[in-house]
């Protein structure tokens, strides 16, 4: 097994990880970054960036449809959904290459593979080949993953999370979105704009339940005006799958059950810290509800090991992770 020595090794190449690695190198630390996929993390590759590219296309379609009120008529409007997805992937790919360039420019060594803790100053990288990285300081910036519902298995075809939803090039005729938070309503708007019959199911009493109440109420009114079906105070109960269709059983506030069928079910019920197989248990690193506990200098309960970003808890925001990454290496 190859061994490499650094002043700092960062596990996770998302906004918190790559920003911290670049800043550490600028401060004179010999730095390495371990990432199992492409630098940029979920946000850049499978989250904010490609989804906003798709939303931009959806807004363009909506504007053209509503143009007649301004004297602009667009007859025969159609959407090539495959090209929309292709555009979003090109945007993400271009920015990922930009992050790779920044890492190289700032002399950060990038190792492709899955990183895990061996000891307080050793990291195992499992990629095409195994290697050990030795460093007196380790920064965990592994991010978060999509939550799933027990019993509703994600197959990537008829049942998907936000990640899988960004890849298919064929627009489903009907979509059922479970979860009315920020991710769920973004996809609801996009799918509806492109022509899919769309339903949103939310367990709480309004859309965007973690945000301002008036915002959620107003969005629900706007969705209903657009013929997007919204079911609040409604819980997922069960599902059955047939060829090309998923039927979801839900329970409303009156405890009455209903059956909703769609070609595609999107599960958007929040995110969870990505701590599986990271090696926290062997070093007795403390967690709280799955999130890594850190002090005011972002150090974990194990001296020399730090953590930033989604893995340390809400709010799960890319710009917050970047700020924490810079702060952690400057302290």
């Amino acid at each position: 097994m190859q061994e490499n020595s650094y002043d700092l090794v960062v596990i996770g190449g998302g906004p918190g990880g790559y920003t911290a690695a670049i800043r550490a190198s600028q401060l004179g630390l010999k730095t390495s970054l371990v990432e199992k996929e492409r630098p940029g993390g979920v946000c850049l590759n499978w989250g904010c960036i490609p989804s906003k590219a798709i939303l931009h296309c959806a807004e363009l379609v909506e504007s053209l449809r509503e143009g007649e009120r301004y004297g602009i008529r667009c007859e025969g409007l159609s959407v090539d959904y495959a090209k929309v997805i292709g555009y979003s992937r090109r945007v993400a790919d271009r920015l990922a290459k930009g992050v790779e360039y920044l890492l190289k420019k700032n002399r950060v060594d990038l190792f492709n593979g899955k990183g895990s803790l061996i000891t307080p100053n050793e990291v195992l990288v499992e990629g095409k080949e195994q290697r050990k990285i030795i460093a007196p300081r380790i920064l965990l910036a592994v991010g978060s993953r999509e939550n799933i519902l027990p019993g509703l298995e994600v197959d990537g075809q008829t049942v998907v999370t936000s990640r899988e939803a960004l890849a298919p090039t064929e627009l489903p005729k009907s979509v059922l979105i479970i979860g009315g938070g920020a991710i769920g309503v973004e996809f609801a708007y996009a799918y509806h704009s492109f022509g899919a019959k769309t339903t949103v199911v939310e367990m709480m009493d309004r859309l965007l339940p973690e945000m301002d109440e008036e915002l959620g109420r107003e969005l629900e009114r706007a969705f209903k005006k657009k013929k997007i079906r919204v079911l609040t105070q409604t819980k997922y109960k069960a599902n059955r799958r047939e060829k090309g269709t998923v039927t979801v059983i839900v329970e409303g506030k009156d405890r009455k059950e209903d059956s909703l069928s769609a070609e595609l079910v999107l599960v958007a019920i929040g995110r969870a810290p990505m701590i599986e197989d990271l090696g926290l248990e062997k070093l007795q690193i403390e967690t709280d509800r799955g999130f890594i506990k850190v002090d005011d200098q972002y150090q974990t309960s194990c001296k020399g090991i730090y953590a930033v970003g989604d893995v340390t808890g809400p709010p799960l925001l890319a710009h917050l992770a970047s700020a924490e990454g810079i702060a952690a290496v400057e302290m």
Side-chain angles (χ1 to χ4, degrees):
M1 182 186 298
Q2 294 188 44
E3 288 190 7
N4 303 84
S5 295
Y6 291 87
D7 297 318
L8 171 69
V9 54
V10 180
I11 304 179
Y18 78 75
T19 304
I22 289 171
R23 184 58 182 147
S25 183
Q26 291 171 345
L27 292 170
L29 297 178
K30 184 182 178 184
T31 307
S32 62
L33 175 67
V34 179
E35 171 56 51
K36 63 182 178 181
E37 296 184 1
R38 292 196 71 175
V42 170
C43 175
L44 193 156
N45 291 290
W46 297 103
C48 309
I49 299 303
S51 68
K52 298 308 177 290
I54 292 171
L55 276 177
H56 170 69
C57 297
E59 289 170 349
L60 181 58
V61 170
E62 289 286 295
S63 297
L64 291 171
R65 286 194 180 125
E66 296 173 1
E68 191 164 354
R69 73 172 69 174
Y70 309 110
I72 302 170
R73 183 177 293 111
C74 185
E75 298 179 358
L77 179 64
S78 63
V79 174
D80 188 333
Y81 190 67
K83 285 190 175 181
V84 171
I85 296 299
Y87 163 69
S88 74
R89 298 315 312 154
R90 289 195 301 276
V91 169
D93 184 62
R94 184 168 66 248
L95 292 181
K97 288 179 180 177
V99 173
E100 290 173 350
Y101 168 75
L102 288 174
L103 291 169
K104 185 176 181 180
K105 178 183 177 182
N106 286 278
R107 302 179 302 280
V108 175
D109 289 340
L110 176 62
F111 295 103
N112 185 249
K114 182 183 180 302
S116 60
L117 301 169
I118 305 174
T119 71
N121 60 1
E122 292 178 314
V123 170
L124 174 65
V125 182
E126 299 175 278
K128 289 183 179 179
E129 57 185 23
Q130 285 195 348
R131 75 173 64 236
K132 182 191 296 183
I133 299 178
I134 301 171
R137 290 174 288 272
I138 299 171
L139 178 64
L140 306 177
V142 292
S144 60
R145 57 168 174 76
E146 300 80 6
N147 267 327
I148 58 174
L149 280 166
L152 187 56
E153 181 185 351
V154 173
D155 59 18
Q157 297 178 342
T158 56
V159 179
V160 299
T161 67
S162 57
R163 175 162 184 146
E164 293 86 12
L166 292 169
T169 56
E170 186 174 344
L171 179 70
K173 293 179 181 178
S174 56
V175 181
L176 171 62
I177 298 174
I178 301 177
I183 295 173
V185 299
E186 281 189 354
F187 275 99
Y189 175 84
Y191 278 126
H192 170 78
S193 298
F194 295 136
K197 182 181 178 181
T198 306
T199 301
V200 181
V201 172
E202 169 55 48
M203 184 174 67
M204 303 300 286
D205 65 346
R206 65 182 186 275
L207 296 177
L208 302 175
E210 295 184 357
M211 300 184 186
D212 183 80
E213 182 174 349
E214 186 178 351
L215 183 63
R217 303 290 185 202
E218 184 60 33
L219 181 61
E220 183 174 345
R221 285 192 287 270
F223 271 14
K224 288 182 177 179
K225 189 175 180 180
K226 289 179 178 293
K227 308 300 181 186
I228 298 174
R229 189 181 182 189
V230 177
L231 301 175
T232 55
Q233 292 183 278
T234 303
K235 297 187 296 184
Y236 163 81
K237 296 290 288 184
N239 75 92
R240 64 176 183 271
R241 306 187 194 200
E242 301 164 355
K243 188 176 181 181
T245 305
V246 181
T247 299
V248 173
I249 312 301
V250 297
E251 181 183 88
K253 59 182 177 180
D254 56 1
R255 293 182 176 264
K256 184 179 179 180
E257 291 189 353
D258 194 9
S259 297
L260 307 173
S261 295
E263 282 191 2
L264 181 72
V265 174
L266 169 61
V267 182
I269 56 169
R271 304 186 64 82
M274 200 180 299
I275 61 172
E276 296 85 0
D277 303 319
L278 191 56
L280 301 181
E281 299 83 2
K282 70 175 71 172
L283 301 183
Q284 298 181 332
I285 293 176
E286 295 180 9
T287 60
D288 180 14
R289 291 170 296 138
F291 294 102
I292 298 175
K293 295 175 66 174
V294 295
D295 62 19
D296 57 4
Q297 294 188 322
Y298 303 99
Q299 186 166 227
T300 69
S301 57
C302 183
K303 187 177 180 180
I305 299 181
Y306 301 78
V308 297
D310 287 8
V311 77
T312 64
L316 312 185
L317 300 171
H319 60 273
L320 176 61
S322 295
E324 289 179 345
I326 292 172
V329 300
E330 288 185 345
M331 287 183 176

